[in-house]
Amino acid sequence: MKNKNLLSILPSLFLGLCLVALPVSAVDLAQAKSAGLVGEQLNGFLGMVKPDASAEIKALVDSINAQRLAEYQRIGTKNGVPAEEVGRLTAQKVIGQAAPGQFVETASGWTQR
Protein backbone atom coordinates (compact mmCIF):
# COMPACT_ATOMS: atom_id res chain seq x y z
CA MET A 1 0.00 0.00 0.00
CA LYS A 2 2.80 2.40 0.86
CA ASN A 3 4.51 1.70 -2.48
CA LYS A 4 1.28 2.45 -4.33
CA ASN A 5 0.97 5.81 -2.55
CA LEU A 6 4.61 6.56 -3.22
CA LEU A 7 4.27 5.65 -6.89
CA SER A 8 1.41 8.11 -7.23
CA ILE A 9 3.65 11.00 -6.19
CA LEU A 10 6.53 10.15 -8.54
CA PRO A 11 5.44 12.53 -11.30
CA SER A 12 5.44 15.47 -8.90
CA LEU A 13 8.70 14.28 -7.34
CA PHE A 14 10.34 14.15 -10.76
CA LEU A 15 9.15 17.67 -11.54
CA GLY A 16 10.34 18.81 -8.13
CA LEU A 17 13.79 17.35 -8.70
CA CYS A 18 14.02 19.15 -12.01
CA LEU A 19 13.09 22.39 -10.32
CA VAL A 20 15.50 21.79 -7.45
CA ALA A 21 18.35 21.52 -9.93
CA LEU A 22 17.41 24.67 -11.83
CA PRO A 23 18.62 27.28 -9.33
CA VAL A 24 21.92 25.45 -8.94
CA SER A 25 22.85 25.58 -12.61
CA ALA A 26 20.62 23.76 -15.05
CA VAL A 27 22.75 24.66 -18.06
CA ASP A 28 25.85 23.24 -16.39
CA LEU A 29 24.04 20.02 -15.48
CA ALA A 30 22.67 19.64 -18.99
CA GLN A 31 26.14 20.29 -20.42
CA ALA A 32 27.74 17.84 -18.00
CA LYS A 33 25.23 15.16 -18.98
CA SER A 34 25.62 15.90 -22.70
CA ALA A 35 29.39 15.72 -22.37
CA GLY A 36 29.12 12.31 -20.70
CA LEU A 37 30.71 13.53 -17.46
CA VAL A 38 27.78 12.69 -15.19
CA GLY A 39 24.79 10.39 -15.34
CA GLU A 40 21.81 9.13 -13.41
CA GLN A 41 22.44 6.28 -10.99
CA LEU A 42 20.13 3.46 -9.88
CA ASN A 43 19.89 4.98 -6.40
CA GLY A 44 18.36 8.25 -7.63
CA PHE A 45 21.50 10.33 -7.39
CA LEU A 46 23.86 11.74 -9.98
CA GLY A 47 27.14 9.93 -10.45
CA MET A 48 30.46 10.79 -12.02
CA VAL A 49 30.82 8.87 -15.29
CA LYS A 50 34.29 10.34 -15.76
CA PRO A 51 36.09 10.57 -12.42
CA ASP A 52 38.57 13.08 -13.84
CA ALA A 53 35.87 15.75 -14.31
CA SER A 54 36.64 19.22 -13.03
CA ALA A 55 36.15 20.27 -9.42
CA GLU A 56 33.31 22.51 -10.63
CA ILE A 57 31.42 19.50 -12.05
CA LYS A 58 32.04 17.49 -8.88
CA ALA A 59 30.73 20.40 -6.78
CA LEU A 60 27.64 20.60 -9.01
CA VAL A 61 26.97 16.88 -8.56
CA ASP A 62 27.45 17.12 -4.80
CA SER A 63 25.11 20.10 -4.56
CA ILE A 64 22.34 18.50 -6.60
CA ASN A 65 22.70 15.20 -4.74
CA ALA A 66 22.38 17.00 -1.39
CA GLN A 67 19.17 18.63 -2.60
CA ARG A 68 17.85 15.31 -3.87
CA LEU A 69 18.64 13.61 -0.57
CA ALA A 70 16.72 16.27 1.35
CA GLU A 71 13.73 15.82 -0.98
CA TYR A 72 13.87 12.01 -0.75
CA GLN A 73 13.95 12.27 3.04
CA ARG A 74 11.03 14.71 3.08
CA ILE A 75 8.91 12.50 0.82
CA GLY A 76 9.93 9.32 2.62
CA THR A 77 8.99 10.77 6.00
CA LYS A 78 5.65 12.00 4.64
CA ASN A 79 4.85 8.55 3.20
CA GLY A 80 6.41 6.35 5.86
CA VAL A 81 9.04 4.81 3.59
CA PRO A 82 12.83 4.97 3.62
CA ALA A 83 14.47 7.75 1.62
CA GLU A 84 16.46 5.06 -0.22
CA GLU A 85 13.24 3.60 -1.60
CA VAL A 86 12.11 7.02 -2.80
CA GLY A 87 15.47 7.41 -4.54
CA ARG A 88 15.27 4.01 -6.24
CA LEU A 89 11.73 4.65 -7.49
CA THR A 90 12.71 8.07 -8.75
CA ALA A 91 15.75 6.60 -10.51
CA GLN A 92 13.53 4.22 -12.47
CA LYS A 93 11.55 7.15 -13.85
CA VAL A 94 14.51 9.46 -14.46
CA ILE A 95 16.60 6.74 -16.12
CA GLY A 96 13.63 5.76 -18.27
CA GLN A 97 13.37 9.34 -19.51
CA ALA A 98 17.09 9.94 -20.09
CA ALA A 99 17.84 11.64 -23.38
CA PRO A 100 19.71 9.82 -26.14
CA GLY A 101 23.45 10.09 -25.61
CA GLN A 102 23.21 10.50 -21.84
CA PHE A 103 24.73 7.97 -19.46
CA VAL A 104 22.68 5.94 -17.02
CA GLU A 105 23.73 3.35 -14.51
CA THR A 106 22.68 -0.25 -15.04
CA ALA A 107 23.41 -3.37 -13.02
CA SER A 108 26.52 -3.87 -15.16
CA GLY A 109 27.79 -0.26 -15.00
CA TRP A 110 27.41 2.92 -17.04
CA THR A 111 25.53 2.67 -20.34
CA GLN A 112 25.04 5.39 -22.90
CA ARG A 113 21.49 5.80 -24.18
Side-chain angles (χ1 to χ4, degrees):
M1 183 74 151
K2 289 180 184 177
N3 279 345
K4 185 175 183 180
N5 291 337
L6 191 56
L7 288 174
S8 68
I9 63 163
L10 278 180
S12 60
L13 172 63
F14 178 69
L15 176 61
L17 288 176
C18 291
L19 295 176
V20 164
L22 286 176
V24 175
S25 188
V27 175
D28 289 339
L29 177 58
Q31 289 173 346
K33 283 184 170 184
S34 294
L37 301 173
V38 301
E40 295 290 343
Q41 297 181 112
L42 294 171
N43 61 4
F45 294 98
L46 291 172
M48 302 296 298
V49 176
K50 299 198 176 180
D52 60 345
S54 71
E56 181 181 6
I57 297 296
K58 290 177 185 175
L60 176 68
V61 168
D62 289 344
S63 176
I64 292 172
N65 282 344
Q67 292 173 57
R68 286 184 179 189
L69 176 59
E71 187 66 4
Y72 296 161
Q73 289 171 333
R74 183 189 70 76
I75 291 168
T77 298
K78 180 179 176 183
N79 292 282
V81 296
E84 294 81 13
E85 185 175 346
V86 177
R88 283 191 307 274
L89 290 171
T90 302
Q92 291 173 4
K93 184 161 184 89
V94 173
I95 288 171
Q97 295 178 347
Q102 291 184 351
F103 282 85
V104 296
E105 185 181 43
T106 66
S108 58
W110 291 111
T111 301
Q112 191 171 20
R113 289 271 177 170

